[in-house]
Amino acid sequence: MCTSSVCDNVKDQIDLTAKEKQIFDRLLEVLRHFNLQTQLRVAGGWVRDKLLGKECYDIDIALDNMLGKEFCEKVNEYLLSTGEETHGIGVIQSNPDQSKHLETARMRLFDVWIDFVNLRSEDYSENSRIPTMKFGTAEEDAYRRDLTINSLFYNINTSSVEDLTGRGIMDLKLGKIVTPLPPKQTFLDDPLRVLRAIRFGARFGFMLDEELKIAAADDEVKAAIADKISRERIGHEIDLMISGNHPVKAMTYISELQLFWAVFSLPPEPEPSTSEGCERLCVACMDSTWRLLQLLELSSFTDDQRRLCLYAAFFLPFRKTIYTDKKGKKIPVVSYIFRNSLKLKASDAETVLSLHFAAEKFVSLIPLILSNEDIQILEVDWKREIIDVPDASKLRILAGLLLREIKDFWRAALVLSMLLHPSIIGCTTNSSKEESELDKKGELFKGIEKAILELGLEKVWEMKPLVNGKDIMNVLEIKSGGPVVKEWQQKLLEWQLAHPSGSTDECVDWLRQTHSKRARAE
C-alpha cells in the first residue's frame, strides 16, 4: 500500500540543483547557437523522483526532431566553437528482437552521464510484435511508456512538467502502478515492463492496478517473458529488486502473479523434481531472512553481502537440487538459475552455493558451541578427521576452518543457518508465534556470533601459515611437493587454529614428532 507520507509529498513543480541547471543551460545554449527548433524533455524516472522529493542522477533526454547521436554531435560542435573540450559519444544500438526499440546516445556533461533518445511512435504490423519506429509526438511517446508514473516529462525549453497521459501526477499521489495503455498490450510490446511494474510497486510501496495484475498473470504474457526478452535484462531487473528496499514484496508479487517459473526457469529434469508450492517456500525463506536481518541491524553487512544473503535464502529450497548437463556432469540447479536464467555473475552463483554449504556446517557447530556435546558427531557430519586435540580446541579448529572457507560472508551464512536450525521460520500463520520464533533466532545468532568472536576467529582467513611447504619438505626429508605436503599443510593449519599463541618452532616440533610417530606406526 502507498504510504501517506509518499502520496502527500508529491510536488507540483521541480526544483533544479545547481548541477542540473548548469547542464540544462548548456543544452539550451546549443539550441540557440544553431537556431534549432528542438524541444528538449527530460523523461521518466528523473521527473518522477524529483516530484517525489528524491534526488536522481539518471537523466534521460527525449528529442522531438532528431536522433540522440545527431544532437550529441551538435553539442560537440558547439564546444569546439567556444574552445572547450569535446566529449566522447557512446551509442547503444536498438535491438527489436529483444524489445530494445530505440537507439540511445550517451555523453558526459559537467561530470554527469546523459542519455539522448528521440521521441517515438510505434506501429505494429498484423503479423509481427516488432514495431516500426518513427518520430512521434511527446504525447505518443508518453503513451508508449511502461507506467503512468514514468510517462511524465520535464520540458527544459519551458521549465515545466508535462503530464500528457493526464494520469501520471494523480497516480503518483494515489500511489498506484498503472500502464498508460491497456496493460496486456503494454506488456506484450515489451514483456520486461511486467518486472518493472513489480519493481516500482515494491520500491515505492504502491498498489498494482487490478487490471495490470490480471494481464501480468496472462499465459501469453508469461510466454513472452520467457521467450522474447533477454535473460540479461531479466537478471538486471531481479537484481535491482533484491538490492532494493522491499525485496520480499517484489518476490511475493512474482510468486502471486504466477511468474516464478517464467523468471527463474529451471533446466529439464531436475533431481529431485520441484514440489508444488516451492515458489511460496522460496518467498517464505527470504521473508524470514529479511526480518532477521532487520532485527539484527547488521551494520557490518555490505550491500553485496546483504544481496547475496537474500539470494541464498530465496534459493535455499533448491540447495540440494541438481541436474545432469550434456556432458553427464551433475550441476547444482542454483548455479543454472544464476548463469542461465538470470545471466548474473558466475561469482554470485559460487558465493550463494558456498553460503548454502556453510549454513549447513554452522547447523552442525551450533550444538557444540552451546554445550559440550561429543565432537564425534561433527566429524561424521563433516566427513573429515582432524588432528588429535582436546574437544575445546576441536571447536576452534572446525569453526576456524569454516570461517576460512566463507570469509567475510560468515555472518550471512550464520543468518541462513538460523532457517535450518531447527526449522524454517515463516511457515506458521500465527503471527505472535512467528515473532517469538524470530526473537529466538535473533538471540541464537547473537550467541553464536559472540562465541566465535570470543574464540578470536574474526578475520581468521587472514592468518598466515607458520610453516611453509619448503619447511615441510625439509622436515619430511622429501624432494618434491604434492599430496603429502598438501596433507601436512592442512594438519599444520589445524594445529595453528588449536594453538593460537603457538610459535613457528613449536609448530615445527609438532610436525616432526607427529611425522615420526606415523613413520613408526607404519
Side-chain angles (χ1 to χ4, degrees):
M1 292 290 292
C2 175
T3 60
S4 59
S5 60
V6 171
C7 298
D8 293 343
N9 287 340
V10 176
K11 297 184 176 184
D12 294 320
Q13 62 182 26
I14 284 176
D15 300 317
L16 300 180
T17 64
K19 176 77 73 174
E20 289 163 348
K21 188 174 188 310
Q22 189 179 28
I23 292 169
F24 296 166
D25 285 347
R26 171 55 56 85
L27 297 177
L28 292 173
E29 288 168 11
V30 174
L31 294 185
R32 287 191 291 268
H33 180 81
F34 293 104
N35 194 28
L36 297 174
Q37 301 306 307
T38 305
Q39 291 286 311
L40 301 173
R41 292 176 170 89
V42 188
W46 181 89
V47 188
R48 178 201 66 228
D49 287 354
K50 295 290 282 190
L51 289 174
L52 288 172
K54 303 174 185 294
E55 287 305 315
C56 182
Y57 306 99
D58 187 11
I59 300 176
D60 299 326
I61 294 179
L63 311 159
D64 66 340
N65 64 358
M66 67 171 65
L67 296 173
K69 183 182 178 185
E70 292 176 308
F71 186 78
C72 289
E73 288 169 348
K74 287 293 185 185
V75 173
N76 274 336
E77 196 176 334
Y78 171 77
L79 293 174
L80 275 174
S81 73
T82 59
E84 297 179 65
E85 184 181 351
T86 59
H87 302 292
I89 302 170
V91 177
I92 304 168
Q93 300 295 336
S94 62
N95 184 357
D97 288 331
Q98 297 294 346
S99 297
K100 174 72 172 70
H101 302 311
L102 290 177
E103 176 185 286
T104 304
R106 301 194 81 197
M107 77 183 311
R108 200 171 176 85
L109 291 175
F110 300 107
D111 296 322
V112 176
W113 282 104
I114 315 290
D115 283 1
F116 296 88
V117 69
N118 59 285
L119 291 172
R120 60 180 173 163
S121 174
E122 300 173 356
D123 288 328
Y124 288 86
S125 66
E126 187 176 336
N127 300 317
S128 174
R129 296 310 307 168
I130 297 176
T132 301
M133 300 304 302
K134 62 181 181 181
F135 282 103
T137 65
E139 184 175 354
E140 286 174 325
D141 188 279
Y143 275 97
R144 301 312 308 176
R145 298 274 163 174
D146 55 358
L147 304 171
T148 56
I149 63 170
N150 294 336
S151 68
L152 298 163
F153 292 113
Y154 175 78
N155 189 315
I156 296 174
N157 301 57
T158 61
S159 302
S160 62
V161 175
E162 298 174 337
D163 184 2
L164 301 176
T165 68
R167 297 190 56 174
I169 292 175
M170 182 57 67
D171 286 336
L172 264 186
K173 291 181 176 180
L174 293 174
K176 291 182 67 177
I177 298 296
V178 185
T179 56
L181 293 174
K184 185 173 178 180
Q185 175 187 339
T186 299
F187 293 157
L188 289 177
D189 288 352
D190 183 354
L192 193 72
R193 290 168 174 169
V194 179
L195 300 184
R196 286 175 58 81
I198 289 171
R199 175 161 64 85
F200 286 118
R203 174 181 170 186
F204 295 120
F206 285 4
M207 295 178 294
L208 299 189
D209 176 69
E210 286 303 316
E211 191 180 348
L212 180 150
K213 289 198 283 189
I214 292 170
D218 184 273
D219 286 342
E220 193 177 354
V221 172
K222 284 189 284 188
I225 292 173
D227 301 332
K228 191 178 178 185
I229 52 180
S230 72
R231 285 287 151 183
E232 286 85 356
R233 293 180 76 200
I234 291 175
H236 179 64
E237 283 297 320
I238 295 299
D239 216 41
L240 289 173
M241 293 180 202
I242 300 292
S243 304
N245 55 344
H246 293 292
V248 178
K249 185 66 174 175
M251 294 304 109
T252 300
Y253 276 141
I254 285 176
S255 174
E256 290 178 349
L257 296 175
Q258 302 168 46
L259 298 170
F260 188 93
W261 301 113
V263 173
F264 306 107
S265 61
L266 298 186
E269 300 181 8
E271 305 171 23
S273 59
T274 56
S275 58
E276 186 178 348
C278 179
E279 63 271 31
R280 293 192 297 274
L281 184 57
C282 289
V283 174
C285 288
M286 178 185 277
D287 181 45
S288 298
T289 300
W290 176 252
R291 289 187 293 112
L292 187 54
L293 289 173
Q294 303 299 106
L295 176 70
L296 294 170
E297 297 179 347
L298 290 173
S299 59
S300 57
F301 268 40
T302 65
D303 290 343
D304 209 40
Q305 287 166 355
R306 192 201 75 153
R307 179 180 72 93
L308 291 171
C309 182
L310 290 172
Y311 269 123
F314 191 62
F315 295 129
L316 197 65
F318 292 114
R319 69 189 184 280
K320 295 183 179 178
T321 308
I322 60 168
Y323 75 102
T324 305
D325 68 7
K326 294 178 180 178
K327 296 180 180 179
K329 187 178 180 182
K330 304 286 187 182
I331 307 290
V333 156
V334 171
S335 181
Y336 180 93
I337 294 172
F338 272 94
R339 293 168 184 259
N340 298 83
S341 300
L342 303 178
K343 294 290 185 180
L344 295 175
K345 294 183 295 185
S347 60
D348 285 350
E350 290 161 6
T351 300
V352 167
L353 291 171
S354 296
L355 282 169
H356 287 167
F357 190 59
E360 293 193 335
K361 284 192 170 185
F362 260 125
V363 172
S364 296
L365 277 180
I366 288 170
L368 182 66
I369 293 174
L370 298 179
S371 64
N372 291 317
E373 292 187 19
D374 191 349
I375 196 73
Q376 294 297 323
I377 297 172
L378 289 153
E379 291 180 350
V380 171
D381 285 351
W382 287 24
K383 295 181 174 59
R384 66 170 301 133
E385 293 182 7
I386 58 175
I387 62 173
D388 186 19
V389 291
D391 284 356
S393 295
K394 285 187 178 182
L395 171 59
R396 193 174 193 279
I397 290 173
L398 290 167
L401 291 175
L402 176 52
L403 264 64
R404 284 176 68 88
E405 286 178 16
I406 199 69
K407 298 183 174 64
D408 277 317
F409 281 85
W410 71 268
R411 283 185 176 87
L414 182 56
V415 166
L416 286 178
S417 74
M418 298 297 101
L419 271 67
L420 302 174
H421 178 82
S423 61
I424 294 176
I425 313 173
C427 295
T428 174
T429 56
N430 186 321
S431 59
S432 60
K433 182 179 178 183
E434 200 170 312
E435 289 304 314
S436 174
E437 280 290 303
L438 182 65
D439 289 338
K440 289 177 183 176
K441 298 296 182 183
E443 290 305 312
L444 179 59
F445 175 93
K446 291 174 184 176
I448 303 302
E449 179 189 44
K450 181 183 177 184
I452 286 172
L453 296 178
E454 287 176 348
L455 286 169
L457 293 174
E458 180 75 346
K459 301 289 184 183
V460 69
W461 51 92
E462 295 178 357
M463 181 183 76
K464 298 290 189 290
L466 292 173
V467 180
N468 61 34
K470 188 176 180 180
D471 294 331
I472 294 171
M473 290 166 60
N474 288 336
V475 172
L476 301 183
E477 297 180 346
I478 56 177
K479 294 182 179 179
S480 61
V484 174
V485 171
K486 187 174 181 180
E487 177 191 351
W488 281 104
Q489 284 175 323
Q490 179 65 27
K491 290 181 180 298
L492 290 170
L493 172 61
E494 293 172 7
W495 186 92
Q496 270 187 254
L497 288 168
H499 303 85
S501 301
S503 67
T504 300
D505 289 342
E506 290 171 329
C507 189
V508 170
D509 285 344
W510 178 84
L511 167 61
R512 187 174 285 109
Q513 291 171 17
T514 307
H515 174 62
S516 178
K517 287 179 183 177
R518 177 187 284 190
R520 287 197 299 271
E522 292 173 351

